[in-house]
Amino acid sequence: MKPDEPTIAPPSPEASTWLSKLGPGLITGAADDDPSGIATYSQAGAQFGFNLLWTLLLTYPLMAAIQVISANIGRVTGRGLATNLQRYAPRQVVWGVVGLLLVANVINIAADVAAMGEAMSLVVPGRPLWYAVGFGVLSVLLQVFIPYQRYVNLLKWLTLVLLAYVATVFVVRVPWGVVLKTTVWPHIAWNKDYLTTIVAVFGTTISPYLFFWQASQEVEELRADDAAQPLRQAPEQVERQFSRIRFDTLVGMGVSNSVAFFIMLTTAATLHAQGVHDIQSSAQAASALKPVAGELAFVLFALGIVGTGLLAIPVLAGSAAYAMAGTFHWKSSLGAEFSAARKFYGIIIVATLAGVGINFMPIDPIKALYWSAVLNGVIAVPVMAIMMLVASSPRIMGNLTIAPRLRAMGWLCTGVMAAATIAMFASFV
């Protein structure tokens, strides 16, 4: 079981530095670039070259806005997102959404551990399946047995693995003039494949599990600091905490979108340029890079897949656990001992090991990931719409409802995701 948490002293003067402000937003943003996301961005670059780089400039402000809103809800109310959704929406609706979230996250975990296993076997010979099992078990052990503050610090340091994708760009030849031109003035192809890939990029970047995770991490931060209170009860903390949330989220989502940009850029400059246009997984992208871009680019790309997976799996499993616990009013905290939050930790364990178990079944994790994207499309829009209503409700947020500009960006993001989801379903016909 976890040891007792140390008492957290009041913030020191150094706590106001920019580095200390990074936490839930940074981890959330970094976790968005999971192995499944890497596969999506790699395919976009390989298939369409530089012509989809513009999408990541568009998703950044939308993603940042909706994540700031989810974080504000958690910090203002001191409750997770699922609990707050139930205060506005019918309970059965929330149950359905959370159930779909759990299924989608398990499928996503399956695809991620499979990609991690394959990537690891490319660098260190061994059976990909057993590497996948090892990564899944390691993730469970870290979440259950490492105290919250230490675990969060570990996740913060893991975000550095994303630098592998920044470094990869600088070991391949990139026509920067062409990149700038096509990013600002892309050639848009009005065909099914191009539009479907745009939908995939939006669905990968703006994902429901990220909303639940960041809101819950704000609640965890409250519990870890004896001097902190929900902002409805502590107006003197509002300005400092809202400023921290904005900075943390803008940086975190900036990291997320920048890394996605570099992944798409790398595969566009190498694979697409060499006529490789079909990538089904992140590990396949790493393999394809080796003969085109060299050993160093290949190793950086492959190890980045493993590192981002170690960061993303806890967020996927944890967000499902927070959502389930909030829905059914279970105790939920990564700072609690196992015996005090058995149902919460049980969801983490079951979700992670179920994801690993899918890889032993005659199910293609990549095809299953397709259906995960469908489920996320079904979930995202109603969750975002209810979030916007919650964040605008004086009954729930008191006098700390979201500002008009943030409200406009949040509804714009909801509308864009609704359009993307409709386009996704239309492509099935």
Side-chain angles (χ1 to χ4, degrees), residues 51-365:
N51 282 305
L52 280 174
L53 291 174
W54 64 270
T55 58
L56 295 164
L57 301 184
L58 180 59
T59 56
Y60 173 61
L62 301 178
M63 182 187 188
I66 204 69
Q67 290 300 144
V68 166
I69 290 167
S70 67
N72 283 359
I73 291 171
R75 194 75 185 197
V76 169
T77 65
R79 297 177 179 179
L81 193 55
T83 302
N84 279 296
L85 294 183
Q86 286 192 101
R87 299 173 70 183
Y88 213 101
R91 184 176 300 177
Q92 291 79 3
V93 172
V94 178
W95 287 358
V97 164
V98 169
L100 291 175
L101 177 76
L102 176 62
V103 174
N105 284 12
V106 168
I107 295 172
N108 215 323
I109 289 170
D112 281 355
V113 295
M116 292 165 70
E118 290 172 7
M120 192 67 182
S121 69
L122 295 175
V123 180
V124 181
R127 289 191 63 186
L129 185 58
W130 295 115
Y131 280 134
V133 172
F135 289 132
V137 171
L138 175 63
S139 179
V140 167
L141 294 176
L142 289 174
Q143 289 182 88
V144 173
F145 293 106
I146 301 295
Y148 174 74
Q149 286 298 328
R150 293 182 193 171
Y151 190 60
V152 167
N153 286 333
L154 174 63
L155 293 180
K156 281 186 184 180
W157 283 108
L158 266 176
T159 62
L160 293 175
V161 302
L162 296 176
L163 292 175
Y165 295 108
V166 179
T168 305
V169 169
F170 296 101
V171 298
V172 301
R173 295 185 63 183
V174 177
W176 291 105
V178 177
V179 169
L180 179 60
K181 180 181 177 182
T182 52
T183 302
V184 176
W185 195 261
H187 171 70
I188 297 177
W190 299 101
N191 58 56
K192 178 181 176 182
D193 290 342
Y194 189 87
L195 296 176
T196 300
T197 306
I198 291 175
V199 172
V201 170
F202 271 86
T204 300
T205 307
I206 303 171
S207 300
Y209 74 91
L210 301 177
F211 315 154
F212 287 90
W213 173 263
Q214 190 165 353
S216 296
Q217 288 307 288
E218 287 296 333
V219 178
E220 291 279 23
E221 293 289 319
L222 277 173
R223 293 170 178 165
D225 186 350
D226 291 340
Q229 291 180 291
L231 296 183
R232 281 198 64 170
Q233 303 168 21
E236 72 282 358
Q237 297 178 12
V238 168
E239 184 176 352
R240 178 169 61 87
Q241 292 300 334
F242 275 4
S243 175
R244 176 193 59 78
I245 287 171
R246 282 195 301 272
F247 178 79
D248 182 26
T249 305
L250 287 172
V251 171
M253 302 313 123
V255 168
S256 174
N257 283 262
S258 297
V259 169
F261 186 94
F262 280 120
I263 293 168
M264 198 181 295
L265 177 58
T266 298
T267 53
T270 55
L271 304 183
H272 180 82
Q274 294 294 321
V276 179
H277 298 157
D278 186 22
I279 296 295
Q280 296 299 317
S281 71
S282 52
Q284 185 184 346
S287 296
L289 273 177
K290 191 172 184 178
V292 174
E295 184 75 22
L296 181 56
F298 156 71
V299 171
L300 287 172
F301 206 95
L303 291 180
I305 292 168
V306 174
T308 57
L310 288 173
L311 180 62
I313 291 173
V315 176
L316 285 161
S319 62
Y322 282 121
M324 291 289 288
T327 300
F328 298 106
H329 307 292
W330 304 336
K331 181 176 177 60
S332 59
S333 175
L334 288 171
E337 293 188 358
F338 182 88
S339 59
R342 291 180 180 176
K343 294 178 180 178
F344 170 74
Y345 282 117
I347 295 295
I348 290 175
I349 294 169
V350 169
T352 305
L353 296 185
V356 173
I358 288 175
N359 289 279
F360 286 89
M361 301 170 65
I363 299 173
D364 184 346

Side-chain angles (χ1 to χ4, degrees), residues 21-38:
K21 294 179 180 179
L22 298 177
L26 175 64
I27 294 169
T28 302
D32 191 39
D33 293 317
D34 67 329
S36 301
I38 293 168

